[in-house]
Amino acid sequence: MGPRTAVTPSKEVKAATGGGCGGQGGARLRSCSDGSRYNKRGAGLPSNSSSPSLVLSNPKSVLKRPVSTEELQTPGGPYVKKTFTIVGDAVGWGFVVRGNRPCHIQAVEPCGPAAAAGMKVCQFVVSVNGIYVLNLDYRTVSHLILTGPRTVVMEVMEETNH
């Protein structure tokens, strides 16, 4: 099976068991590039499986309001640029990219590589591995991440707290 990451183009339900945060056992939540998220409930895996059952749901956008690329680039505006280096693990990077010009971080797996690097929801993706992506949609950004190296360097814009 391919990587379990927010940028996976497949909507197939994938269960990955791991240590979890703080040594807790159980499945870690997985997400897709379209913002779908796998939750622990209902059916989804064969009944003879010892793993918890997972179902697919499609959450609403995490953004409180639409943001334009011009607003993100306004000097002195309420956004600050941050750079993250995310080393993917055996199954992915642990975040969801969603949106259309600019795309944003829809979800971050709490125990995944992206969270460990400091990535948060509602950040806007500016570049991926040195490629400017502020004017691209999430499918194109997802493709860049999936076809790039295991280590992803991402620049994002985050709203400052005023």
Side-chain angles (χ1 to χ4, degrees), residues 75-145:
Y79 294 92
V80 61
K81 189 179 286 188
K82 294 187 174 187
T83 303
F84 301 110
T85 301
I86 305 164
V87 180
D89 60 18
V91 287
W93 294 269
F95 64 95
V96 175
V97 173
R98 192 170 185 182
N100 187 21
R101 298 172 185 92
C103 63
H104 62 276
I105 304 302
Q106 174 72 15
V108 177
E109 179 185 330
C111 301
M119 185 174 278
K120 299 176 188 173
V121 296
C122 298
Q123 293 172 327
F124 293 91
V125 183
V126 176
S127 72
V128 174
N129 295 327
I131 300 170
Y132 182 81
V133 299
L134 202 55
N135 293 312
L136 302 177
D137 68 344
Y138 78 89
R139 287 188 173 111
T140 307
V141 173
S142 296
H143 180 75
L144 284 172
I145 295 167

Side-chain angles (χ1 to χ4, degrees), residues 12-157:
E12 176 184 340
V13 174
K14 300 172 189 171
T17 56
C21 289
Q24 300 169 359
R28 289 163 47 184
L29 295 178
R30 294 290 131 234
S31 302
C32 287
S33 61
D34 64 359
S36 300
R37 180 157 239 203
Y38 307 111
N39 294 314
K40 294 182 188 180
R41 61 183 165 110
L45 296 175
S47 59
N48 61 357
S49 172
S50 61
S51 299
S53 295
L54 303 172
V55 228
L56 188 62
S57 66
N58 194 7
K60 300 286 185 211
S61 175
V62 294
L63 299 179
K64 294 177 183 161
R65 63 179 181 82
V67 176
S68 70
T69 57
E70 292 78 17
E71 182 180 351
L72 290 173
Q73 297 173 314
T74 302
Y79 294 92
V80 61
K81 189 179 286 188
K82 294 187 174 187
T83 303
F84 301 110
T85 301
I86 305 164
V87 180
D89 60 18
V91 287
W93 294 269
F95 64 95
V96 175
V97 173
R98 192 170 185 182
N100 187 21
R101 298 172 185 92
C103 63
H104 62 276
I105 304 302
Q106 174 72 15
V108 177
E109 179 185 330
C111 301
M119 185 174 278
K120 299 176 188 173
V121 296
C122 298
Q123 293 172 327
F124 293 91
V125 183
V126 176
S127 72
V128 174
N129 295 327
I131 300 170
Y132 182 81
V133 299
L134 202 55
N135 293 312
L136 302 177
D137 68 344
Y138 78 89
R139 287 188 173 111
T140 307
V141 173
S142 296
H143 180 75
L144 284 172
I145 295 167
L146 283 171
T147 59
R150 185 172 165 232
T151 299
V152 176
V153 178
M154 292 182 64
E155 283 186 327
V156 299
M157 296 295 280

